[in-house]
Amino acid sequence: MRKIAVFAGAAAVAVGAAALASLPSSAQDNAKLEQLKAQGFARVAIANEPPYTAVAADGKVSGAAPDVAREIFKRLGVPEIVASISEYGAMIPGLQAGRHDVVTAGLFMKPERCAAVVYSEPVLCDAEALLVKKGNPKGFKSYADVAKDESATVGAPGGGTEEKLALDAGVPRDRVIVVPDGQSGLKMVQDGRIDAYSLPVLSINDLMKKANDSNLEVIAPVEGAPVYCDGAAFKKGDEALRDAFNVELAKMKESGEFAKIIEPYGFSAAAAMSTTMEKLCAPAQ
Ligand code: 6CS
């Protein structure tokens, strides 16, 4: 059976290569884009964390990251995006395993991630925040403050930036609580099950606005935490697709259409345009 499987595999590769060779040379350079155009959609990984990404009750996908990606793929000849919700820590493995064509979720650029994927130029930038009880009873201003208080706990997304910031600041593993989504984090703070819940500022502000709970307070920005920017994250090997994405992203930044999409969500186009993937992926000095 194995022999037949190997033979079939080889035949499929041969047919694929022949089909590819029949394309005009420019398309050969971007086989992945040609595949997405033929497929009619790009499979995007999202988190459902407004305003970065959101899935409505009717399944409609929105949020700044998917909206930018949808527009760019449309311009590239890929009419639709199809989103699947993923934990941040599972997005890169899912991309590498071929379950997604691109991550458009506010997956912040950091050297360790930049080593694992191929990022576009910056799209969404934000600082970090802590959601706490009104009056900030434990006086948190930074992740180090959480570390110093031996009874304090902080919630954060699994595999997310805030989880790593808290651990790197010295909060022990058993006091960094993995929280699956924003609503859960909000409830856990309200119920006193965690002392703080950490997400980027715009995500925490969105939760706060919807909660309309005067017993909560936002500490932002978290002292000592960097301002991060995301980009669309592509699988290694799909550099040509990333490059095509960047061409359209640059045109939209130049024309003002990029700002028109992200700024109603609260993001700053100027912030994204003030930096580059190269700078954001560079190892810390
Ligand atoms: O990139 C990350 O890991 C973080 N990005 C967002 C938009 N939310 C939380 C997550 O930890």
Side-chain angles (χ1 to χ4, degrees), residues 257-276:
E257 289 164 287
F258 172 69
K260 271 197 208 126
I261 293 176
I262 73 167
E263 293 193 341
Y265 283 107
F267 294 98
S268 158
M273 294 164 72
S274 70
T275 185
T276 65

Side-chain angles (χ1 to χ4, degrees), residues 61-81:
V61 174
S62 63
D67 284 4
V68 168
R70 183 185 291 109
E71 180 57 29
I72 288 177
F73 277 112
K74 213 178 281 178
R75 293 167 183 230
L76 291 173
V78 183
E80 289 297 333
I81 61 171

